[in-house]
Amino acid sequence: MRYILSNLILVVLLTNCTSENNNKLQIATASNMQFVSKKLCEAFTQETNIECEMIVSSSGKLCAQIISGAPFDIFISADMKYPEILFNENKTLGRPKIYTQGKLVLWSLKDTLFNTLDILKNNNVKHICIANPVTAPYGIAAAETIKKKFGNTINQKIVKGESISQTNQFILSKAADFGFTSLFIVNSDFLKNKGKWIMVEDSLYQPIKQGIVTIKGDRVKLAQQFEQFILSEKGQKIIDPLNN
């Protein structure tokens, strides 16, 4: 039976730093990027003395909040679709830019040995968690993978979290036997030694091109500095090791 687990959990991560002008950038970041974005915020603050506050949720929900007037300065998305929507809604300073290409993994904390996706056909596997494809780009990639690899044969095992964050919680709590998440998550300092994961073949899902865009507002000059930092060599040196 397929169902959506609907209780949304917004994770707010604060990066503590000192700002001479007390200008705090509001960084809306996709759930799969929460740990990477924290590192980026810390490095950016150290270099510029500009304080950052992170608001973490699914890309679709963050996009909807920005359209509704949420005072965010930067949108770090898990795809290009939602930043493009904001551009078309005249909410951004310019067109979004690709800052990385995401990678999908299958992850489990159960005591099960596996090295291929075929483990999901096992009768002992009861629950496979994916992020909601309606709002979460990695949920779309997971749904594409399942459809291409298994057709409809394991659909009865699928449960959905509202975002990658909630999907990760179900995996970590072992409420789900397996789950599809981002390589950025399992490579993070906090989770890199937990459970077992395998990379999903990129031929099974559309490329996950992740975009960043500056939102129109009172702090656009500071926000542009942050965007440029992420796209710079320094920013990419923080991102790349967690995506390989």
Side-chain angles (χ1 to χ4, degrees), residues 71-124:
F72 302 148
D73 301 303
I74 286 283
F75 180 31
I76 301 174
S77 179
D79 68 358
M80 286 293 285
K81 171 187 171 182
Y82 292 111
E84 288 285 359
I85 288 174
L86 294 177
F87 173 76
N88 292 331
E89 290 283 335
N90 199 31
K91 294 288 185 179
T92 69
L93 197 63
R95 295 202 77 100
K97 298 179 178 67
I98 297 171
Y99 65 91
T100 193
Q101 182 161 312
K103 297 174 183 177
L104 188 68
V105 301
L106 179 68
W107 187 27
S108 178
L109 266 75
K110 293 292 184 79
D111 295 326
T112 304
L113 296 176
F114 66 100
N115 52 28
T116 73
L117 296 181
D118 289 334
I119 186 66
L120 301 181
K121 296 187 294 185
N122 192 300
N123 290 334
N124 292 325

Side-chain angles (χ1 to χ4, degrees), residues 1-99:
M1 179 178 181
R2 302 178 67 182
Y3 58 97
I4 296 178
L5 300 165
S6 60
N7 51 314
L8 171 66
I9 298 175
L10 280 178
V11 182
V12 179
L13 299 173
L14 297 180
T15 303
N16 295 318
C17 47
T18 303
S19 174
E20 182 176 324
N21 299 315
N22 199 30
N23 287 311
K24 182 182 289 188
L25 284 175
Q26 302 294 305
I27 312 296
T29 187
S31 298
N32 79 295
M33 292 299 293
Q34 59 183 298
F35 300 114
V36 189
S37 292
K38 186 173 186 294
K39 286 179 175 288
L40 289 164
C41 284
E42 289 170 348
F44 176 73
T45 296
Q46 185 174 19
E47 182 169 301
T48 65
N49 207 34
I50 298 170
E51 190 175 358
C52 302
E53 180 175 328
M54 285 172 45
I55 302 88
V56 182
S57 187
S58 67
S59 296
K61 289 188 177 295
L62 290 171
C63 177
Q65 290 170 21
I66 293 168
I67 290 173
S68 296
F72 302 148
D73 301 303
I74 286 283
F75 180 31
I76 301 174
S77 179
D79 68 358
M80 286 293 285
K81 171 187 171 182
Y82 292 111
E84 288 285 359
I85 288 174
L86 294 177
F87 173 76
N88 292 331
E89 290 283 335
N90 199 31
K91 294 288 185 179
T92 69
L93 197 63
R95 295 202 77 100
K97 298 179 178 67
I98 297 171
Y99 65 91

Side-chain angles (χ1 to χ4, degrees), residues 40 55 106 132 178 214 222:
L40 289 164
I55 302 88
L106 179 68
N132 184 1
F178 288 86
T214 295
L222 298 180

